[in-house]
Amino acid sequence: MAGTKNPRVKDDRAKKRKRETNDRETIPKRHRRQSREGKVNGADAPTPQKIKHQASENGTQSKHLTYFCPQEVVRQSDDGEAGWRISKPMGGRMMDIDPILTEDEQHLIITYNTSIQIYTTADSLLVRRIPISTLDTSSEKGSTPARIIATRLSKSNSHLAWVACSDGNMYCVDWSQSVGPSPVFRTTSGTANALVVVPAAYAENKEILLISESDKASHMDIVAYQPISDGKAKSKALFSLKKQGHGLQILETSMDGQVIIGAFQDQLFFGNASRSTQNLEELEYDVVSFESPDLITCIDLRLRHRSSGSTKNQPVLNSTVDVIVGGARGGIYIYRDALSTIRSSGKSQSGKDGLDVQNHHWHRKAVHAVKWSRDGNYFISGGSENVLVVWQVDTSKKDFLPHLSASVENIVVSTSGSSYVLHLDDNSAMILSTAEMKPTSYISGIQSAATDMSEPKDLLVRRVWNTPEQVRRPIPAAIRPSEPSKLHVCVGNGRQATMSGDISAPMLQSFDLESFTSVSKQALARTHPTDVNLSSKGHPFDEPLVTSIAFSGNGLWLASVDEWRPTEKDMENISADLRDQFIHERREIYLKFWEVRNGGESIALVSRINAPHATNFPEIVLDLASDPTSSAFATIGADGVARLWRPRVRQNNGVTVKDEHGHDEFSWACAQAIAIGDCTSLGDGMDLVDSTYLVDVQGSISFSEDGSTLFVAFGAVDCGVVHVVDVASGRVAQTLEGLWDGKLQSIRALSSYIIVLSNDLRVYDVVGDELRYGIDIPKISGVSELLQLAVDYTSGHFAVTLPIGRVSSIGVFDPEDPEPLLVRTTPHRIVSLVSAPATSGFIAIDDAAQVWVIAEGSDPASLATVQPLQDLQLDDVPEVLEKDVETGGVLVGEDMDVASEDEIADGENGIVDGDHDVNMYNDDDDDDDDDDGININVIPRQSLTDIFDIAPAFAAPSIEDMFYKVTGLLATKPLAEQ
């Protein structure tokens, strides 16, 4: 059971041997840091036989495990022991904020939950990411990042953008520069709900920020702020609105800032600048408000020129204001010349009589976005139907762009009117040409399930369905061995569709971590993305749930398990005592095998196994594992049988069947079926075949690194048994008892160890036949299913994630030492944890669609991803490069690679071979002044090769590591004079 390790790990494991009884009190080979005081059971840990004996004597299992709580573990340095560290978060979730298309239409600015990201429209590539309210693992525990609520371009400088956060902080960002901004000022109330920017009429290159702020849902205050140079801002309260209830707070303004419109719940208000102002104190708006027929979800205004002249009693009005409003129940309302009409009626504060209102209705649920076209002859709307609707104003004729990948959240019309920008609910955005309605640019982030940053617009009115507040189970994800830079994660058709059922995620997204772009998305199970997916009673149809995915060891195959079961609403007419049996009989479970093709092509379904584990009805597949050395897969089902699946060449009358490319076609079948478990007593005791008696069983499965052994944890209730199966013979070679307790989460094999995660974490040495150590998992309220375990074969370490409320703790461990190498707390909960088979390190995805990389910086085979620019820390001069003031030399680190004296001497003598570069030494003067000469150290070509060509591009070390190694070659001490 030996795997491929880097040289350091191989040396550490070289002395591994089976321990005798008198060796169990010896000191572990790996020296522990004396500064740590936490003691956990390691060398003197009781064996499973001792545990079983003590349990039989005491009647209960012995409490031999030390209590583990991340808050009590000594906090590591930024790099952690042995160089382990966690990167800053990358990616994120696109917010429900209009994207910004620059005036030249060359760049697209998208607001994420903790940053704004700038993309080029020509190639859809990320130019820069500017963090706004990002929290990383160095942040204070329990802190949560502020939510970005608005992003607006500056009126005075097109390269500046104002960003407002929910905590009241206002940022001015130069999106053309990669500089993280600091807050310019903070609102008086410390809150912000909406933002618009208007130019200051009394001064050039100055602007005023109108901010809606309130900490109560029934109150809305509009306050004007003018930033000043000392980091503060002048403020003036303009007006307030009060109304009981709940809803959105929306603000929009005309280009000149003379007209503002807004919405507060179901109230629509208009504001017109009363007179020219000379300073902020004189700024006033005449405000008119009235109730609309529905809760308002989106608004837009258009200035329309008219030719009416002036009279003696009324000044000239060069333009009128047309307002379009989207409602929470699907209605669209157009108010033409609303401001003038209300004024003519003599009602200065409220009223709606005499308004010219047009009502349009097509959307089944809330209108998420509505915008005027540039010429005013059309308006565009979008909602949860995955359809973009183009309306002709005069005739109400509709054109549709159907079958979008998710619901439409935001629409932006370009300045020229030639393009539409759509932000979709599946964390993607696209630019459409208005002439052909074809996408010219597409941007997508990680589309896994994520919590809502704000209340969905569809839920502003009460419905028969609801979305959960948090992700309740791990999201299946995997990395193909031959492509460690691509992450494959299960996703759904938008956030609301994903969260409406049991976290439905029937799609597989391939995401390139190097370019940080989405490569493809393909369905693994049946989906209803654009069909009418609501029942007659308004309930959404639940899609199948993909529970497990895994790539084969050679990367040629992908196996997936999807499951569908009836929901509670489907059993309203079934008696309570028959509901469980009805669910078991009606559920659908499929094991599918896919051929993975190279060159970015979609995967192809080869075989589908209906009910791979079944008794009198389909049994659930508890876990799926792949053999790291072959194309085999293994599954463990609730029927107590472990099955090995292998491909075989498809034949027709003895002739091998070929595909269209001349390659052999394969089919998959069960090669071995191994009965597992005395705990469920397949032979005696409880009978799983009896469909009238339903047993709640748990199971997890894992191959050894060499594929010769299969470890199966299986049992009913709290059995705690692990079966060691010889793959070649299919025989259960050994049964290990007492290795897990409570709810079983995962079992993984790493070198000669098996790691079992349940209510506690236990590491068992199979060769030494001893329990190395155990760590008790704290009983913290939350989602216990989000306890996750991943192993890194290359470095010989494993990682564990622990949900703690709305955050997660990540720990990296050595199987020989119970003290963690690294412990960090992320500001969001981790929903996926994977490792790459061919490289070192781990990748974690949180419930904000952010990617975290846990890697060992000193390992040249560490996982390669696009590291955040702030992780490079090029402004921090490392200690090895600091000048020695007294000697004028440069300090050289002990581990730094430098040219040897013999290599330098050969270079000085003019000796040049294929492995060395020509030595350049220029000393024009004959005096002894060292400062007159230019001394350039010789860098052997082999040293540079060891840095840049140590691994292919997709598995190369980070830029930071290579930078410091190259500077280490250059930072040698001056040679002593001969």
Side-chain angles (χ1 to χ4, degrees):
M1 295 175 287
T4 303
K5 303 287 191 300
N6 57 30
R8 179 179 58 81
V9 177
K10 288 182 179 180
D11 294 340
D12 293 342
R13 305 292 191 269
K15 297 181 181 181
K16 187 66 183 174
R17 62 183 176 86
K18 184 172 181 179
R19 299 180 178 176
E20 303 296 334
T21 306
N22 56 358
D23 290 335
R24 297 193 178 181
E25 299 295 330
T26 60
I27 300 176
K29 295 186 290 296
R30 186 178 183 275
H31 297 286
R32 303 180 183 177
R33 296 176 60 178
Q34 299 298 325
S35 60
R36 297 182 180 176
E37 298 177 358
K39 299 295 183 181
V40 290
N41 53 318
D44 56 351
T47 63
Q49 290 76 11
K50 293 181 179 180
I51 297 173
K52 184 177 180 181
H53 178 68
Q54 294 173 359
S56 62
E57 291 182 350
N58 302 332
T60 59
Q61 182 171 326
S62 174
K63 298 295 183 180
H64 65 282
L65 299 180
T66 303
Y67 185 78
F68 168 75
C69 185
Q71 288 83 351
E72 297 176 358
V73 178
V74 177
R75 189 171 180 84
Q76 308 296 315
S77 62
D78 287 341
D79 288 340
E81 186 179 334
W84 282 93
R85 59 187 177 181
I86 299 181
S87 70
K88 289 181 172 58
M90 296 170 284
R93 191 79 187 177
M94 297 181 186
M95 299 297 294
D96 186 9
I97 298 173
D98 287 349
I100 298 175
L101 185 63
T102 56
E103 189 172 355
D104 58 4
E105 301 186 13
Q106 298 298 314
H107 294 89
L108 182 64
I109 305 173
I110 299 178
T111 304
Y112 286 74
N113 49 354
T114 56
S115 66
I116 62 171
Q117 301 187 20
I118 296 88
Y119 298 84
T120 57
T121 58
D123 48 20
S124 306
L125 294 180
L126 177 66
V127 177
R128 63 185 57 89
R129 178 182 186 269
I130 304 177
I132 301 297
S133 59
T134 300
L135 293 183
D136 53 28
T137 55
S138 62
S139 304
E140 183 180 355
K141 293 180 179 178
S143 57
T144 57
R147 178 172 57 90
I148 299 176
I149 57 98
T151 302
R152 302 280 185 175
L153 275 183
S154 170
K155 299 294 184 180
S156 59
N157 188 342
S158 60
H159 284 177
L160 298 180
W162 286 97
V163 181
C165 292
S166 57
D167 58 359
N169 283 321
M170 300 293 141
Y171 299 82
C172 187
V173 181
D174 186 352
W175 58 265
S176 63
Q177 302 292 330
S178 299
V179 179
S182 299
V184 176
F185 67 92
R186 190 177 185 184
T187 59
T188 305
S189 65
T191 61
N193 299 315
L195 166 71
V196 292
V197 181
V198 299
Y202 51 84
E204 294 184 359
N205 299 326
K206 287 189 177 181
E207 51 201 6
I208 299 173
L209 277 63
L210 304 183
I211 302 174
S212 166
E213 52 182 282
S214 174
D215 56 355
K216 298 180 180 179
S218 59
H219 196 75
M220 178 180 184
D221 296 326
I222 304 299
V223 184
Y225 290 88
Q226 179 183 341
I228 53 181
S229 58
D230 58 355
K232 299 181 180 179
K234 297 179 181 179
S235 64
K236 180 186 178 181
L238 297 179
F239 59 91
S240 299
L241 295 174
K242 296 181 180 180
K243 187 173 184 179
Q244 294 297 325
H246 74 284
L248 301 180
Q249 299 183 18
I250 307 173
L251 277 180
E252 293 292 341
T253 181
S254 60
M255 292 296 295
D256 57 4
Q258 295 299 306
V259 178
I260 63 170
I261 63 171
F264 177 50
Q265 300 182 19
D266 61 348
Q267 280 187 308
L268 186 65
F269 61 85
F270 301 83
N272 190 28
S274 57
R275 55 189 173 88
S276 60
T277 58
Q278 300 300 321
N279 50 54
L280 181 65
E281 289 72 16
E282 297 180 0
L283 179 64
E284 291 183 1
Y285 281 90
D286 294 331
V287 180
V288 178
S289 65
F290 60 90
E291 292 185 357
S292 69
D294 197 358
L295 286 174
I296 299 174
T297 56
C298 52
I299 59 176
D300 191 30
L301 82 162
R302 170 178 172 266
L303 295 181
R304 177 166 51 91
H305 294 282
R306 65 181 183 182
S307 59
S308 59
S310 62
T311 63
K312 294 181 180 180
N313 298 326
Q314 184 179 4
V316 175
L317 296 177
N318 294 325
S319 60
T320 62
V321 179
D322 294 339
V323 178
I324 188 168
V325 175
R329 294 175 177 85
I332 299 176
Y333 309 95
I334 299 178
Y335 299 91
R336 291 191 176 276
D337 198 9
L339 192 57
S340 299
T341 304
I342 294 177
R343 283 176 175 171
S344 62
S345 65
K347 299 179 180 180
S348 59
Q349 292 298 326
S350 63
K352 64 177 181 178
D353 297 334
L355 290 181
D356 182 13
V357 181
Q358 295 180 7
N359 187 359
H360 303 269
H361 202 124
W362 180 84
H363 297 278
R364 297 191 298 269
K365 289 180 282 189
V367 181
H368 294 180
V370 62
K371 285 292 189 296
W372 286 107
S373 65
R374 289 303 174 192
D375 57 7
N377 296 325
Y378 300 88
F379 65 89
I380 308 97
S381 66
S384 57
E385 299 82 9
N386 298 17
V387 178
L388 182 69
V389 187
V390 181
W391 304 71
Q392 192 173 10
V393 176
D394 294 336
T395 63
S396 298
K397 180 181 178 181
K398 298 178 288 293
D399 290 327
F400 302 98
L401 180 63
H403 306 297
L404 298 175
S405 59
S407 63
V408 179
E409 290 297 307
N410 301 96
I411 301 173
V412 174
V413 181
S414 65
T415 305
S416 62
S418 61
S419 301
Y420 297 146
V421 182
L422 304 185
H423 164 220
L424 304 180
D425 187 38
D426 63 350
N427 207 27
S428 66
M430 67 173 66
I431 300 178
L432 298 173
S433 62
T434 58
E436 300 178 350
M437 281 295 177
K438 292 184 178 180
T440 59
S441 182
Y442 178 77
I443 298 164
S444 176
I446 295 287
Q447 298 180 357
S448 63
T451 56
D452 261 328
M453 300 294 108
S454 58
E455 185 177 11
K457 294 176 180 177
D458 288 340
L459 296 182
L460 291 177
V461 296
R462 186 175 180 180
R463 303 188 184 275
V464 296
W465 55 272
N466 203 344
T467 59
E469 296 181 356
Q470 58 189 13
V471 182
R472 297 165 296 185
R473 61 184 302 162
I475 305 301
I479 294 179
R480 187 183 178 190
S482 57
E483 293 180 319
S485 64
K486 289 185 180 179
L487 174 67
H488 303 266
V489 59
C490 290
V491 300
N493 298 292
R495 206 216 70 85
Q496 290 188 34
T498 300
M499 301 289 286
S500 61
D502 192 11
I503 311 185
S504 173
M507 314 281 288
L508 182 69
Q509 182 190 19
S510 299
F511 195 85
D512 192 339
L513 294 172
E514 289 184 342
S515 61
F516 220 78
T517 57
S518 179
V519 178
S520 63
K521 189 167 66 172
Q522 181 173 348
L524 296 180
R526 68 174 185 272
T527 62
H528 306 282
T530 58
D531 298 334
V532 179
N533 52 5
L534 292 177
S535 66
S536 58
K537 295 182 180 180
H539 295 283
F541 295 143
D542 287 340
E543 297 173 337
L545 173 67
V546 177
T547 58
S548 302
I549 61 171
F551 283 96
S552 62
N554 54 16
L556 300 178
W557 303 96
L558 172 70
S560 66
V561 178
D562 61 88
E563 172 186 342
W564 178 89
R565 66 179 65 189
T567 58
E568 292 294 333
K569 61 180 178 290
D570 298 326
M571 299 177 292
E572 297 176 351
N573 300 325
I574 301 176
S575 60
D577 56 342
L578 295 178
R579 287 186 178 181
D580 289 342
Q581 182 177 350
F582 176 79
I583 292 177
H584 282 72
E585 292 176 351
R586 293 293 303 275
R587 63 187 172 192
E588 302 173 2
I589 301 172
Y590 300 111
L591 172 63
K592 299 176 181 178
F593 297 97
W594 310 77
E595 181 184 1
V596 183
R597 301 168 179 173
N598 296 322
E601 298 182 12
S602 60
I603 59 178
L605 180 61
V606 175
S607 297
R608 188 188 77 175
I609 311 298
N610 301 341
H613 294 263
T615 53
N616 290 347
F617 46 77
E619 296 285 356
I620 62 174
V621 178
L622 299 174
D623 198 10
L624 169 70
S626 64
D627 186 347
T629 62
S630 68
S631 298
F633 293 92
T635 58
I636 178 65
D639 58 346
V641 177
R643 297 181 181 272
L644 292 175
W645 306 87
R646 300 183 186 275
R648 59 186 179 187
V649 177
R650 182 177 299 175
Q651 293 184 347
N652 185 9
N653 295 327
V655 179
T656 302
V657 179
K658 303 287 185 178
D659 60 13
E660 58 183 3
H661 301 291
H663 301 151
D664 294 344
E665 290 191 357
F666 291 86
S667 61
W668 284 77
C670 178
Q672 287 177 301
I674 307 166
I676 297 294
D678 293 333
C679 284
T680 55
S681 299
L682 292 175
D684 53 348
M686 292 181 293
D687 187 6
L688 291 183
V689 181
D690 185 4
S691 61
T692 62
Y693 189 84
L694 303 176
V695 181
D696 185 14
V697 294
Q698 306 177 76
S700 184
I701 195 167
S702 178
F703 278 94
S704 62
E705 291 187 44
D706 60 0
S708 62
T709 308
L710 191 65
F711 300 98
V712 184
F714 181 79
V717 196
D718 299 336
C719 198
V721 177
V722 175
H723 305 272
V724 182
V725 179
D726 180 64
V727 174
S729 63
R731 182 179 58 88
V732 178
Q734 189 178 5
T735 300
L736 307 174
E737 298 181 0
L739 284 188
W740 56 274
D741 177 55
K743 184 174 180 56
L744 177 64
Q745 303 292 342
S746 179
I747 181 173
R748 292 291 182 267
L750 179 63
S751 185
S752 62
Y753 304 93
I754 53 175
I755 302 103
V756 185
L757 179 63
S758 57
N759 286 359
D760 45 49
L761 175 69
R762 306 186 188 187
V763 178
Y764 184 82
D765 187 353
V766 179
V767 176
D769 192 21
E770 65 171 344
L771 182 70
R772 291 305 305 267
Y773 59 85
I775 300 175
D776 197 17
I777 303 297
K779 306 302 184 292
I780 300 176
S781 60
V783 183
S784 60
E785 287 78 5
L786 291 181
L787 278 170
Q788 297 179 77
L789 169 68
V791 297
D792 180 7
Y793 293 149
T794 304
S795 67
H797 298 89
F798 66 92
V800 178
T801 63
L802 170 66
I804 309 173
R806 294 185 176 273
V807 302
S808 280
S809 182
I810 301 177
V812 178
F813 293 84
D814 189 318
E816 293 187 352
D817 191 346
E819 297 182 11
L821 301 176
L822 179 72
V823 174
R824 288 291 182 272
T825 300
T826 59
H828 301 277
R829 295 197 307 174
I830 301 300
V831 297
S832 295
L833 180 67
V834 297
S835 62
T839 58
S840 172
F842 306 91
I843 288 181
I845 304 176
D846 62 19
D847 59 4
Q850 297 182 128
V851 176
W852 304 77
V853 178
I854 306 102
E856 190 175 11
S858 61
D859 189 354
S862 61
L863 192 62
T865 64
V866 54
Q867 293 287 343
L869 297 181
Q870 57 265 36
D871 266 3
L872 293 181
Q873 300 177 352
L874 297 181
D875 295 335
D876 298 334
V877 180
E879 182 180 357
V880 296
L881 297 181
E882 292 180 355
K883 283 275 187 176
D884 186 355
V885 178
E886 296 181 359
T887 62
V890 179
L891 300 179
V892 181
E894 296 178 356
D895 297 333
M896 190 170 293
D897 295 332
V898 296
S900 64
E901 294 182 0
D902 294 338
E903 292 170 340
I904 295 175
D906 290 342
E908 288 180 347
N909 295 331
I911 301 176
V912 180
D913 56 25
D915 294 331
H916 295 76
D917 289 335
V918 177
N919 175 52
M920 298 178 61
Y921 182 81
N922 183 11
D923 190 357
D924 295 336
D925 299 331
D926 297 332
D927 54 21
D928 296 333
D929 190 359
D930 293 338
D931 294 334
D932 293 339
I934 302 176
N935 190 354
I936 302 178
N937 293 328
V938 174
I939 301 178
R941 182 175 299 172
Q942 183 61 38
S943 299
L944 294 176
T945 302
D946 292 341
I947 296 175
F948 293 104
D949 298 337
I950 191 172
F954 59 82
S958 65
I959 298 177
E960 178 186 11
D961 290 337
M962 291 192 291
F963 172 80
Y964 289 142
K965 287 183 179 181
V966 173
T967 55
L969 296 178
L970 297 174
T972 58
K973 290 183 179 180
L975 295 175
E977 294 188 26
Q978 300 294 334

